[in-house]
Amino acid sequence: MSSLADHGGPIGAVSDGAATIEELGGSRRATPLDRVQRSLHAHPALGPFLVLACSSLIFYALNGRFLASENVSLMLQQVAVIAALGVGQTLIILTAGIDLSIGAAMILAQLFMAQLAANDHWAALPALLLGCVVGIGTGALNGTLVTRFRVPPFIATLGTLSILTSSGLLYSQGQTTQASQMPGLLNWTGNLVKIGPFNLINGVLVVFVLYLAVNYLLTQTRWGRHVYAVGDDLEAARLAGIRTRLVLFSVYAFAGLIVGIAAWVSIGYTGAASPNNAVDANLQSITAVVIGGTSLFGGRGGVFGTLFGALIVVVFTSGLTLANVNDLYQPIAEGVLVIAAVGVDQWIRRVKA
Amino acid sequence: MSTSVSSGGEPLAAPTAPAPASLDAAGGAAAAGPPPVPVLEARGLVKTFGHVIGLRGVDLTLNRGEVLGIIGDNGAGKSTLIKCLTGALQPDRGEILLEGRQVSFRSPLDSRQHGIETVYQTLAVSPALDIAANMFLGRERVSKGPLGLLFRKLDKRGMRAEARQQMARLGITTLQDMSQRVETLSGGQRQAVAVARAAAFGSKLIVLDEPTAALGVRESEQVLELIRELRRQQLPVILISHNMPHVFSVCDRVHIQRLGACAGVVSPATTSAEEAVAIMTGAKQLVAQ
Ligand SMILES: Nc1ncnc2c1ncn2[C@@H]1O[C@H](COP(=O)(O)OP(=O)(O)OP(=O)(O)O)[C@@H](O)[C@H]1O
Ligand SMILES: [Mg+2]
């Protein structure tokens, strides 16, 4: 957002000039600000990308180690879990919904994977698949509440947040399972892999593939179109002959599958499955989506914006630490970014024809 | 409301005058030729919204190859009527027959799969999607290549080209770029998208709820010409409009809706627009046929 604010001054002055011309009866011309508004409107991921690029450069200028390959590798590993959950959250927010339970669902799925494999001696693949089924189940539960019982998504997922959190604690009896107790497949996502100068974990690659796949679904398939149409104007989509309930339900269920994948990545990244893992993940995934330019009103945005949004948060955390700024400024920066992103979204939505 | 309609009706008498002459032929043919074949029939439709009564037992018949107008004041139940006919609303009581068979549409998709295309008053377009995407909303084409077969990839280019052809065929020149988002279009252009969609896909009948409300003179004339063309192709049309000259120049029969009920069905060949407006506002009553 800082880049936009920087340009705000001079551009604002130009548009003021245009306004006076208008008052004198001159014809309305597109000001540079209008053009910025229009291109952000057409490309919702553009704003977050610019913020990411500018903030990275600034942090690099403050401390050269910021863009060193070790630090970039570390940031990519740190972002993986939230970025994965962000994909599911993006789908739901695109339908003008929200999922407050997504992190709790991930913890539950990962506890199932870990305990079935470590305590109940299931083979790795069935344990992994059952964890994914648990994820899909949580999504289907939210989807049923939203589509069949017409509970607003905020309330439905607030309820399932409590239910899933406690279920996880009950099921695991508060115990943490170390990755070393699990079969190799379950913590395969934590294995190191070297890509060029970067030392990554397999989980990062899984998440990257996830982004490519969901981006394809959203932009190149019928289902993706219908997701946008349903989020944009539910009644119009229904009148145009879209099975809106089915689309909505499928979005929640599919987000549940992504929860399962995120659980797998999380086991690898943290090297354990614990009911106290990633308790902030619910809100962090929403933060990533919102900073990523997807509109809370639905119908506008996409997954790559969310990737940038998740990266921005990690970049600020790392960059501020490397710049020797007190840790407490990091949440402040994050809060400012979220509010600024929603403000920019409101402004973009008023785009003129 | 009613005064504005009737005062609008009076000066319009002149332009409608030549219309009956041209319609006489059609009306005469209908009377003398084979008996009309009903495509869509509704009997005793009732629809209430809590305490508000939308429809209080409405009958309607649409014959093959005919343009049926529906007129009525604001809130007379015109939109409610066609929503019940097309599955957007479910009537509380009454029955609907499509080509003689009883149907009960549970959604707009249901009626669409039976060949009924509707332009709703609210247009039902998705602002964030582009023109081509809206034209093909709900019936997107998958590309022919391996990507389409394996990964269900949309044939965006093909749909765009076809949308452009459809616009050209309908003589809609205000829409050039099929990848323009609908939210950036003017009200009239959006209406053109909705009408083009209905005209492109309607196979049994087409329902138009105030399709010219936001259109300019030239664009309105194009929609009327389109309706005439559909009639030449024997495709029946239901047209809701507040514009009496439009209704009386293209319709074969006019269903007058008043206070949730049908106040009568008149033929433009024998009834003038002023008389129809008088019936519509209750100033005059039609003896049951
Ligand atoms: N969803 C709804 N809920 C409650 N009342 C409704 C609803 N839809 C329609 N009505 C009521 O039903 C009546 C008929 O409305 P309808 O929309 O059919 O009128 P109309 O003839 O199409 O009017 P207009 O010319 O303004 O489009 C009105 O009194 C309206 O308030
Ligand atoms: Mg209406």
Side-chain angles (χ1 to χ4, degrees):
Chain A
M1 293 310 111
S2 57
S3 68
L4 290 179
D6 290 348
H7 292 302
I11 293 172
V14 174
S15 79
D16 284 345
T20 47
I21 293 169
E22 220 183 313
E23 281 157 21
L24 293 170
S27 65
R28 176 96 174 80
R29 296 234 324 275
T31 64
L33 194 65
D34 286 339
R35 252 173 271 146
V36 171
Q37 188 182 24
R38 218 169 289 164
S39 37
L40 287 178
H41 192 258
H43 309 283
L46 187 64
F49 175 76
L50 291 176
V51 174
L52 179 64
C54 294
S55 52
S56 295
L57 287 178
I58 291 168
F59 288 125
Y60 178 63
L62 292 174
N63 186 336
R65 277 197 296 139
F66 176 77
L67 283 184
S69 67
E70 311 88 75
N71 197 47
V72 173
S73 303
L74 187 67
M75 288 193 292
L76 289 175
Q77 295 189 24
Q78 285 170 337
V79 86
V81 174
I82 294 303
L85 286 180
V87 175
Q89 192 69 263
T90 306
L91 290 172
I92 289 171
I93 290 183
L94 276 178
T95 67
I98 196 144
D99 189 351
L100 300 174
S101 72
I102 202 163
M106 179 189 75
I107 292 170
L108 186 66
Q110 115 189 336
L111 290 172
F112 265 92
M113 290 176 186
Q115 298 236 332
L116 288 175
N119 299 357
D120 304 335
H121 307 292
W122 283 39
L125 190 63
L128 178 63
L129 291 181
L130 195 106
C132 288
V133 169
V134 169
I136 296 172
T138 62
L141 173 63
N142 285 333
T144 305
L145 291 171
V146 169
T147 57
R148 196 141 295 276
F149 299 102
R150 297 176 193 274
V151 184
F154 186 91
I155 300 301
T157 58
L158 188 65
T160 51
L161 167 63
S162 305
I163 295 169
L164 297 178
T165 305
S166 291
S167 305
L169 284 164
L170 284 171
Y171 175 70
S172 67
Q173 296 169 318
Q175 298 296 309
T176 297
T177 309
Q178 295 302 324
S180 53
Q181 297 171 255
M182 300 177 212
L185 177 68
L186 280 184
N187 53 42
W188 175 83
T189 47
N191 292 351
L192 286 171
V193 50
K194 199 161 164 63
I195 306 267
F198 304 112
N199 287 307
L200 304 177
I201 51 175
N202 285 327
V204 173
L205 306 184
V206 169
V207 173
F208 192 66
V209 172
L210 180 67
Y211 269 86
L212 292 179
V214 175
N215 184 61
Y216 178 88
L217 284 175
L218 275 180
T219 59
Q220 303 297 331
T221 71
R222 188 177 289 174
W223 180 78
R225 280 235 167 123
H226 294 182
V227 170
Y228 280 98
V230 163
D232 201 14
D233 188 333
L234 187 68
E235 179 63 6
R238 188 183 78 90
L239 290 178
I242 290 177
R243 293 187 173 90
T244 52
R245 279 216 210 163
L246 188 67
V247 171
L248 273 177
F249 180 81
S250 70
V251 163
Y252 281 89
F254 185 55
L257 172 65
I258 294 171
V259 158
I261 296 171
W264 186 32
V265 173
S266 170
I267 290 176
Y269 171 64
T270 51
S274 154
N276 308 314
N277 247 354
V279 280
D280 296 335
N282 297 316
L283 294 180
Q284 282 174 345
S285 69
I286 296 172
T287 303
V289 175
V290 169
I291 295 179
T294 294
S295 172
L296 287 168
F297 301 100
R300 214 179 61 82
V303 283
F304 281 123
T306 301
L307 183 58
F308 300 142
L311 282 169
I312 288 169
V313 173
V314 172
V315 158
F316 268 74
T317 311
S318 171
L320 291 173
T321 309
L322 286 178
N324 277 326
V325 178
N326 187 332
D327 275 0
L328 291 177
Y329 284 102
Q330 190 274 328
I332 293 181
E334 204 176 308
V336 170
L337 282 172
V338 170
I339 294 168
V342 174
V344 168
D345 178 51
Q346 295 277 25
W347 174 64
I348 293 171
R349 289 200 150 248
R350 291 196 303 262
V351 76
K352 292 161 224 74
Chain B
M1 299 280 170
S2 59
T3 50
S4 75
V5 171
S6 59
S7 72
E10 274 157 0
L12 299 173
T16 46
S22 64
L23 279 166
D24 259 342
V37 185
V39 174
L40 186 74
E41 286 170 279
R43 299 199 194 117
L45 290 186
V46 174
K47 180 71 191 174
T48 55
F49 306 97
H51 292 298
V52 180
I53 298 173
L55 299 176
R56 49 184 92 220
V58 176
D59 296 348
L60 176 143
T61 307
L62 175 70
N63 296 318
R64 170 156 312 147
E66 125 181 300
V67 179
L68 176 70
I70 301 181
I71 62 172
D73 275 332
N74 294 119
K78 305 181 295 296
S79 297
T80 307
L81 176 58
I82 63 105
K83 280 183 176 171
C84 286
L85 293 176
T86 59
L89 289 173
Q90 281 68 46
D92 302 334
R93 237 180 293 151
E95 56 177 10
I96 298 167
L97 296 106
L98 181 65
E99 295 182 326
R101 271 199 302 277
Q102 188 161 354
V103 288
S104 69
F105 299 132
R106 286 169 40 239
S107 69
L109 178 64
D110 229 0
S111 72
R112 206 165 96 166
Q113 284 168 344
H114 281 81
I116 300 176
E117 277 299 314
T118 312
V119 174
Y120 292 99
Q121 196 166 4
T122 51
L123 298 181
V125 288
S126 269
L129 298 181
D130 65 25
I131 296 174
N134 267 289
M135 287 270 299
F136 284 89
L137 196 55
R139 54 191 138 213
E140 292 83 359
R141 300 255 163 85
V142 170
S143 75
K144 295 241 162 44
L147 278 177
L149 274 172
L150 276 173
F151 299 112
R152 317 292 303 153
K153 186 176 162 56
L154 289 178
D155 180 15
K156 288 189 186 176
R157 201 180 310 152
M159 288 191 283
R160 223 170 270 158
E162 201 164 316
R164 202 175 303 116
Q165 280 172 12
Q166 180 64 19
M167 294 295 173
R169 201 157 39 222
L170 299 177
I172 296 169
T173 51
T174 64
L175 299 171
Q176 296 295 339
D177 180 6
M178 293 299 125
S179 55
Q180 198 179 348
R181 289 185 189 217
V182 164
E183 64 197 335
T184 63
L185 299 178
S186 74
Q189 288 173 321
R190 286 182 200 206
Q191 209 149 28
V193 173
V195 172
R197 176 167 71 187
F201 294 102
S203 62
K204 271 204 190 115
L205 69 104
I206 292 181
V207 180
L208 304 167
D209 192 349
E210 305 201 22
T212 57
L215 296 188
V217 175
R218 198 177 65 86
E219 287 78 11
S220 296
E221 197 44 57
Q222 275 168 3
V223 170
L224 297 185
E225 192 43 52
L226 167 72
I227 294 171
R228 291 189 191 101
E229 176 58 35
L230 293 171
R231 181 175 46 200
R232 277 193 285 276
Q233 298 169 9
Q234 291 286 298
L235 198 64
V237 176
I238 294 178
L239 170 69
I240 297 180
S241 177
H242 286 291
N243 188 314
M244 294 305 145
H246 288 176
V247 170
F248 277 75
S249 76
V250 296
C251 293
D252 301 302
R253 291 186 308 133
V254 180
H255 170 119
I256 304 171
Q257 189 69 16
R258 174 173 158 71
L259 304 175
C262 176
V265 180
V266 301
S267 161
T270 54
T271 309
S272 72
E274 291 96 328
E275 279 176 283
V277 169
I279 298 167
M280 187 176 103
T281 55
K284 192 181 153 187
Q285 283 185 1
L286 194 75
V287 189
Q289 297 148 303

